[in-house]
Amino acid sequence: MTPFPLSSAALLKSAADRVRSARPELADGLDLSSTQALRAARAGLHGDRTAPTDEVLAVVVIGRLDLPRWVRETCAFALALAPGEREAWRRSFTRTVYLAGSPSNLRERFAFDHVAGDDSVAWAGPAPGARTATLRRLLKSFEAAHELTAQRSATVTVPGCPGTRPPARRELYIATARVSVTEALVHVNHLLAEAVLDGLIGPGDRLTLRFVPRLTGLGAQLAMLRVDTDVHRPDELQAYAGLTTEV
């Protein structure tokens, strides 16, 4: 397979396409021609005037973090959403809030929509912010500021019975260099959620997690990228995660 071209133009196109996919009715009126213009457009989309009336968010309560299990359960959560929930979450750019807490200690007080089998992680939403306001006030944000260290590759199977298409095998590349654990969760969550919404990830699929310092120079064809502002170079974009075509 030939390497995916991670040029500045390719990164900008990927990031701009995400905006167009989430808010197609506004895309024609937005300037997405540069990193600076893209950043301004995204900031404006979260402002009072242009924020969608159906804006929603998901909440993740993390008790114990095991990244392969978290990937598996994130896919399971997204796959279980109803069509209306999927559409609203997409329009809200799959916004997700990460909290630190024990799901097993909270289940009697709060109604979660998905809980990992070992009670390590639980999800609520996506729903209007008022639904999870009490939970978000109660718990602190999940903070893991240390750099994500390279780990051994791991393969997970997405829960559920395959539908009309046979299960696919894909690789999930995750950048680690100067990326904190919290930042990695944010980027991988967006990629996984949107891959599920796009039908790239389905029940029974096998995902092999591969940790690399950066996504440049990969000998793989990527079907989806997670691109965001480079926190160390705010006028540039960086690829933080990538999902390959079938392997």
Side-chain angles (χ1 to χ4, degrees):
M1 294 183 291
T2 57
F4 188 92
L6 294 180
S7 63
S8 297
L11 296 180
L12 178 61
K13 181 180 183 304
S14 179
D17 285 348
R18 180 173 184 255
V19 174
R20 296 187 183 100
S21 176
R23 302 295 300 281
E25 78 283 7
L26 297 178
D28 290 342
L30 297 174
D31 179 5
L32 304 174
S33 61
S34 68
T35 302
Q36 295 82 355
L38 176 69
R39 188 165 61 244
R42 291 193 302 193
L45 286 172
H46 294 293
D48 293 336
R49 291 187 302 169
T50 57
T53 57
D54 60 348
E55 187 170 47
V56 300
L57 59 87
V59 172
V60 183
V61 177
I62 302 173
R64 301 184 310 279
L65 180 62
D66 174 83
L67 199 52
R69 174 176 282 277
W70 180 83
V71 165
R72 178 183 183 276
E73 298 295 339
T74 296
C75 293
F77 165 71
L79 283 166
L81 298 179
E85 294 172 319
R86 292 184 174 213
E87 175 62 20
W89 202 25
R90 164 75 79 181
R91 286 176 55 80
S92 302
F93 295 94
T94 55
R95 183 184 174 196
T96 305
V97 175
Y98 304 83
L99 304 175
S102 172
S104 60
N105 293 339
L106 297 165
R107 294 179 75 168
E108 292 186 3
R109 295 182 58 188
F110 299 97
F112 291 108
D113 295 282
H114 180 76
V115 182
D118 63 352
D119 276 339
S120 59
V121 192
W123 281 258
R131 178 181 152 187
T132 55
T134 302
L135 177 64
R136 288 182 285 121
R137 284 194 296 266
L138 175 66
L139 301 179
K140 295 181 178 179
S141 297
F142 176 80
E143 297 290 347
H146 56 285
E147 183 176 89
L148 178 66
T149 57
Q151 304 177 31
R152 290 183 178 179
S153 299
T155 299
V156 301
T157 301
V158 178
C161 296
T164 56
R165 69 164 174 82
R169 292 180 60 248
R170 301 180 187 273
E171 295 181 330
L172 172 61
Y173 284 91
I174 303 171
T176 62
R178 303 174 74 183
V179 179
S180 73
V181 172
T182 300
E183 291 166 344
L185 289 182
V186 171
H187 295 307
V188 175
N189 175 78
H190 282 304
L191 183 143
L192 292 173
E194 289 160 21
V196 168
L197 299 184
D198 286 350
L200 291 175
I201 294 177
D205 287 359
R206 290 172 62 82
L207 306 177
T208 298
L209 283 61
R210 300 198 183 279
F211 301 87
V212 294
R214 296 172 181 81
L215 267 66
T216 54
L218 298 178
Q221 291 280 8
L222 297 179
M224 177 176 282
L225 275 175
R226 165 60 183 175
V227 176
D228 203 358
T229 302
D230 187 326
V231 294
H232 305 288
R233 295 172 294 181
D235 289 333
E236 298 183 23
L237 295 171
Q238 178 179 341
Y240 288 94
L243 185 70
T244 70
T245 56
E246 292 189 50
V247 297

